[in-house]
Amino acid sequence: VSERQEMGGDRRVLVIGGGFAGFVVARHMRHHYKVTLIDAKEYFEYTPGILRAFVNPAHFESLTFLYQPVLEEKMGVKFIWGEVNALDGENRTCKYKEVRNGYEGEISYDYCVVAAGCNFGLFDKWGESLWFPTVWERVRPESKWAHCDERYWQGRRQHIEEEYQKIKALNDRSGSVLIVGAGFIGVEWATEIDYFFPNIKITLCDMLPKCLGPLPDNAKSYCQNYLDKKAINCKYGVKFNPFDPEGYKVLGISKPDITYISTGFKASCWFMPKEVMTQYNPLEADEMEKDVRKKGPAGGGWIRTNLHLQPVKVNKDGSKAVYGTCDKGHGRIYCVGDCNMLGDLPPIPKISYPGEEQAAVACRQIETIDSILNRSEERRVGKECR
């Protein structure tokens, strides 16, 4: 009996999303299960490094690889290049639409791990931003760069090159930029522009009193000293209104040539049932949660999960239950990384490390449940044989 048969046999694990968390699941579970990974773009992109690509496009190749050859040829994981449209936890099926040919298919699974991530454009209707490719069919018609199909590697590369040329032209005429949000992205974006395009005048603003909000004070001081050394104009404790054409005036600066929004994040799990989403409350007349703490950041849209990372649905009477359990009561769906809102825990940063840790926990959960089910099956077969 092979190791694979002993551990998981022919059980199928479906992974939705090929980012950091999704890859942890695929890489681990492939040894003992039949794994399928589905993603709406054809390539992996190393998001923490993407800012460098916008000021140095040649760097893009170092941040990406095509899924198909890596997953299927090197890892033995089936890859579906498509967008998930619906996940049915009761029947354990997933509906999707392939990108290349528009084929609409359905795949079944024994276990599913949702690692669909989130968006970073807080003030955009769909959450669109430079920092993550636009890959959803419903968003593309209204995309600010719809001519670049970022579901394709070449389309993403084209968009990055165009943004680079825009910044380069701005540098040639000694223009100015305003960067709203002095967190990880904002600070790095300011310093990347300053390094590669020193003629651009940069203003960085945040409503908090210092940069890098969640970091220790010594890290903030270290960073601020560097920003000051580079003469990057920092405005803290001021609330900027991105919807006001003259919002820049509260910062005491001239109108910038380009304004970049680098603050906040927004959910994008449109394929999940509404009953498991944080903005859903059946006890309200409009079924919309009014408590912002329960709804979560940016108006909701996050997958409500328990501390086992299982999605939790809210029934019509307001009671709660794990969504997508089997007839034995075991959870078969796990939601990890940036797409979830975990139990009653404080908000978890939408970055790669917590997502990878959650993915590892989900793998362990699946293996534990599978072990329990296998032992039950062995006892049943043993009794029948006797």
Side-chain angles (χ1 to χ4, degrees):
V1 179
S2 68
E3 181 186 19
R4 176 167 174 164
Q5 287 175 317
E6 287 179 347
M7 290 292 294
D10 293 327
R11 296 195 192 279
R12 302 152 299 171
V13 174
L14 174 65
V15 184
I16 300 176
F20 291 100
F23 239 83
V24 166
V25 178
R27 187 174 65 240
H28 178 79
M29 303 302 278
R30 67 191 171 104
H31 296 294
H32 311 302
Y33 298 82
K34 288 184 175 180
V35 178
T36 297
L37 186 146
I38 182 168
D39 199 286
K41 60 187 186 304
E42 67 172 336
Y43 57 93
F44 172 88
E45 179 176 292
Y46 183 73
T47 304
I50 199 61
L51 299 175
R52 174 62 61 87
F54 283 105
V55 291
N56 180 20
H59 190 58
F60 181 64
E61 295 184 10
S62 302
L63 302 172
T64 58
F65 59 79
L66 295 180
Y67 280 127
Q68 192 276 329
V70 173
L71 288 170
E72 296 197 342
E73 297 175 18
K74 294 186 178 181
M75 295 174 61
V77 171
K78 179 177 174 57
F79 172 61
I80 296 177
W81 180 14
E83 180 175 351
V84 173
N85 294 320
L87 184 67
D88 186 339
E90 307 299 336
N91 296 305
R92 285 184 233 154
T93 59
C94 173
K95 292 182 179 179
Y96 63 90
K97 183 177 182 180
E98 291 189 11
V99 171
R100 188 166 297 181
N101 55 25
Y103 168 78
E104 296 186 9
E106 183 176 276
I107 184 173
S108 56
Y109 59 85
D110 294 297
Y111 301 97
C112 177
V113 179
V114 179
C118 69
N119 296 332
F120 299 100
L122 176 61
F123 300 108
D124 182 85
K125 174 183 177 182
W126 299 107
E128 185 176 62
S129 72
L130 293 177
W131 328 126
F132 192 80
T134 300
V135 298
W136 305 273
E137 192 170 51
R138 69 177 65 190
V139 179
R140 294 201 65 255
E142 300 181 48
S143 171
K144 292 183 286 293
W145 40 85
H147 62 289
C148 299
D149 192 341
E150 295 187 300
R151 298 174 298 178
Y152 293 78
W153 184 90
Q154 189 56 47
R156 179 62 163 162
R157 180 69 170 78
Q158 176 189 350
H159 179 208
I160 287 173
E161 178 64 36
E162 289 181 2
E163 291 294 330
Y164 165 77
Q165 292 297 337
K166 186 189 301 182
I167 300 170
K168 183 174 181 294
L170 188 63
N171 184 69
D172 292 341
R173 65 175 190 270
S174 299
S176 62
V177 301
L178 168 63
I179 300 173
V180 181
F184 294 105
I185 294 176
V187 167
E188 183 180 348
W189 187 225
T191 53
E192 291 281 13
I193 292 176
D194 175 75
Y195 181 83
F196 284 90
F197 299 107
N199 294 337
I200 294 178
K201 183 179 180 180
I202 303 169
T203 298
L204 176 67
C205 74
D206 201 293
M207 63 186 297
L208 295 177
K210 296 181 180 180
C211 64
L212 300 178
L215 267 65
D217 283 339
N218 58 350
K220 296 176 184 179
S221 298
Y222 176 87
C223 181
Q224 191 60 54
N225 289 337
Y226 181 84
L227 292 169
D228 293 341
K229 179 181 177 182
K230 293 298 180 179
I232 294 173
N233 185 25
C234 297
K235 300 285 186 176
Y236 300 131
V238 181
K239 190 173 183 179
F240 173 82
N241 183 358
F243 302 109
D244 182 358
E246 297 187 335
Y248 63 90
K249 290 184 177 180
V250 302
L251 303 173
I253 62 173
S254 301
K255 184 178 181 179
D257 294 296
I258 301 176
T259 297
Y260 294 102
I261 305 297
S262 61
T263 182
F265 40 83
K266 205 164 188 175
S268 57
C269 294
W270 303 300
F271 58 87
M272 293 296 289
K274 69 177 183 180
E275 290 80 7
V276 304
M277 307 307 291
T278 58
Q279 76 275 18
Y280 174 71
N281 185 346
L283 302 182
E284 297 287 352
D286 58 358
E287 297 189 334
M288 292 296 294
E289 178 60 61
K290 301 300 185 290
D291 187 336
V292 294
R293 294 171 299 178
K294 294 179 180 179
K295 184 184 290 187
W302 312 99
I303 305 172
R304 183 191 305 104
T305 61
N306 58 22
L307 296 183
H308 299 289
L309 300 170
Q310 299 161 332
V312 175
K313 66 178 179 179
V314 179
N315 299 313
K316 287 294 184 181
D317 61 0
S319 61
K320 296 179 180 179
V322 174
Y323 177 70
T325 58
C326 64
D327 57 354
K328 304 294 185 183
H330 298 295
R332 295 300 187 98
I333 302 175
Y334 295 86
C335 304
V336 302
D338 296 350
C339 63
N340 70 17
M341 186 169 165
L342 255 172
D344 297 321
L345 295 180
I348 295 176
K350 303 295 184 184
I351 54 178
S352 58
Y353 178 70
E356 291 179 327
E357 290 296 297
Q358 290 177 34
V361 171
C363 290
R364 182 57 179 159
Q365 294 271 58
I366 291 172
E367 291 172 343
T368 300
I369 291 173
D370 215 38
S371 176
I372 294 171
L373 294 175
N374 279 340
R375 287 199 298 270
S376 298
E377 179 65 15
E378 288 170 0
R379 285 195 294 268
R380 184 189 67 80
V381 173
K383 290 181 180 178
E384 291 179 354
C385 291
R386 288 196 295 270

